[in-house]
Amino acid sequence: MATPLSIQLYTLRDQIAADRDGTLTRLAEIGYRSVEAYDPTADPIGFRKIADDLGIGVSSTHAYALFDRDAGEVFDAVATIGTDLAIIPGGIDHDEFTTLDGLRRTADLLNGFAAKAAERGIRIGYHNHWWEIEPRFEGRTGLEVLAGLLAPEVFLEVDTYWAAVGGADVPELLRTLGDQVLALHVKDGPGVKDEPHTAVGKGAIDVPSILAAAPDALRIVELDSCATDIFEAVAESRAYLAGLERS
């Protein structure tokens, strides 16, 4: 992989809540050298210290906190943990993705965040679920329409699993979105809502075809839920993706 495979720490949110440093240590032992944070405002100085001690980089962070905290505070935390990529993973009413006016409002919101972030040298991204994919506008998904309304500096983190659940041909979607896609959430499972995910490579998703459609995007493992031991699942996911890279 051109850049280290990362993992979204939301995958291990319960373990982090109980023992952040121990959880990061186990991830380093598994072989992860990069992580994506989900709340940069949670002890950013302490987080950066343990990450540095373990030799773990921070590829990016989710920034849901922008909806309920001062933007300057959030961007200071983003910089402190060691990344310049802050991604909005939700917090916008699902109905906004069902109309053109709603998509325009969403773009305005994201573009506004991006303008504030740029003052701190930070870029804003958007992470999809299924509800941005299901609505269609003359054959285009809501996410595609939104992409065309975003300022050039706003990037996309495409959650490949939820895009598939929403009905997209994910490789084709990625090719259509092109260079706007800076990162991928790579996950696997049965491909339906409300069912646990699996280790990457153990489910119904055609992961190799998806990765081939966006060869330069960051790869970030995320399992929203998992029916098996979560540490085993993230280890299996890393081994599978490393094997694809070697093949």
Side-chain angles (χ1 to χ4, degrees), residues 172-187:
E172 185 59 32
L173 176 66
L174 293 172
R175 286 188 286 267
T176 298
L177 295 172
D179 292 341
Q180 279 183 282
V181 180
L182 196 63
L184 303 178
H185 268 193
V186 184
K187 62 181 68 168

Side-chain angles (χ1 to χ4, degrees), residues 38-58:
Y38 64 90
D39 181 7
T41 66
D43 185 23
I45 294 173
F47 181 89
R48 177 63 180 265
K49 182 181 187 305
I50 184 64
D52 285 348
D53 289 347
L54 292 169
I56 291 176
V58 181

Side-chain angles (χ1 to χ4, degrees), residues 73-158:
E73 176 190 354
V74 176
F75 295 140
D76 284 346
V78 171
T80 297
I81 67 170
T83 184
D84 59 359
L85 303 178
I87 299 154
I88 306 296
I92 300 168
D93 192 295
H94 300 185
D95 288 343
E96 290 289 78
F97 299 94
T98 63
T99 67
L100 289 173
D101 283 346
L103 289 167
R104 293 187 187 102
R105 285 190 294 268
T106 300
D108 288 345
L109 176 67
L110 296 173
N111 292 341
F113 280 140
K116 292 178 182 178
E119 298 173 1
R120 306 293 189 96
I122 292 168
R123 291 185 65 190
I124 290 291
Y126 183 73
H127 167 284
N128 66 280
H129 295 80
W130 64 87
W131 53 82
E132 303 92 342
I133 305 297
E134 288 179 339
R136 298 300 169 108
F137 302 84
E138 297 181 350
R140 294 196 298 163
T141 66
L143 184 63
E144 290 169 85
V145 176
L146 176 65
L149 299 169
L150 294 174
E153 62 269 24
V154 181
F155 65 92
L156 297 174
E157 175 177 74
V158 174

